Amino acid sequence: SQDAKHLFTYDKTVAPRPQHYKYLPLQGTKNCRAYRVVDGVGVFQGVYLLSGSDARTFVDLTLADYPKVGTCYGKDKNQIYANFGPIAGGDPKTFTILNGDYTKDANHAYRLGGLIQGADAGTFVALGEYWAKDKNYVYHWDKVISGADPATFGALDDDHGKDANYVFDPFGTAMSQIADVASLISLN
């Protein structure tokens, strides 16, 4: 809503009202209905103005399964956004959504908009919602799983993964060596 001097969301003043403005339609999938683009002001997610956002070039990148995933993604000519703010150091020209949790650009890998320290973006792949790997490491969420072999690692389910020798729980613990890891399957 608005009055002569301000724009409002719910009962909060979110911006001074510019003399000339209009709501611009979102481009892209439009699944994150929380993004609102206001020409002359910027982009809002809910009541929060995305600092430095460019309303004219903003594109909603949120995946079609947004309600399940719970993370909104967008970009403009200057930066990438996850939910309420920019992804620090993100490159909007090379940004790719791997799934609802994992994204990457030419230089970095991210989980829910947070940088995954030490990840190799060039080889980084998501293995479901909670597991990922690159040429050097296996990750559960954004935590390195010590001792896991990325060359042979695969996710069994959200909580367990395996490489050629061990089964790992989500805390990174190599469970007892199993005689036949290759034949192990998830019962979920």
Side-chain angles (χ1 to χ4, degrees):
S1 60
Q2 66 186 18
D3 66 15
K5 296 183 181 181
H6 299 93
L7 298 176
F8 301 93
T9 300
Y10 305 108
D11 61 347
K12 182 176 181 176
T13 302
V14 292
R17 182 175 180 233
Q19 192 169 19
H20 301 285
Y21 80 95
K22 65 180 179 174
Y23 287 95
L24 298 176
L26 286 175
Q27 301 171 12
T29 63
K30 300 183 187 179
N31 291 303
C32 184
R33 289 179 171 71
Y35 283 135
R36 299 289 179 258
V37 179
V38 181
D39 188 24
V41 177
V43 180
F44 293 84
Q45 201 220 13
V47 297
Y48 300 98
L49 177 63
L50 300 178
S51 178
S53 59
D54 180 63
R56 294 200 179 274
T57 62
F58 185 84
V59 177
D60 179 5
L61 302 173
T62 306
L63 297 174
D65 59 351
Y66 160 73
K68 176 181 172 258
V69 173
T71 300
C72 298
Y73 295 106
K75 72 177 181 177
D76 61 24
K77 67 179 183 178
N78 301 313
Q79 50 195 355
I80 308 162
Y81 304 90
N83 289 333
F84 300 105
I87 295 176
D91 177 10
K93 291 179 182 165
T94 62
F95 183 72
T96 303
I97 298 173
L98 303 175
N99 64 24
D101 281 8
Y102 293 107
T103 58
K104 70 178 184 176
D105 61 26
N107 302 306
H108 303 98
Y110 310 93
R111 181 174 180 277
L112 301 177
L115 179 67
I116 300 175
Q117 294 290 334
D120 178 69
T123 61
F124 189 87
V125 294
L127 304 171
E129 292 297 314
Y130 301 110
W131 295 95
K133 69 179 182 178
D134 62 23
K135 68 179 182 179
N136 301 311
Y137 302 107
V138 172
Y139 306 89
H140 187 265
W141 293 13
D142 55 357
K143 179 185 169 196
V144 172
I145 303 300
S146 181
D149 175 24
T152 62
F153 188 87
L156 291 170
D157 55 38
D158 290 345
D159 294 323
H160 299 92
K162 70 176 182 174
D163 65 15
N165 299 306
Y166 295 97
V167 175
F168 295 86
D169 68 17
F171 306 105
T173 306
M175 299 166 70
S176 309
Q177 191 168 11
I178 296 173
D180 189 11
V181 172
S183 68
L184 184 70
I185 60 170
S186 173
L187 297 177
N188 286 348

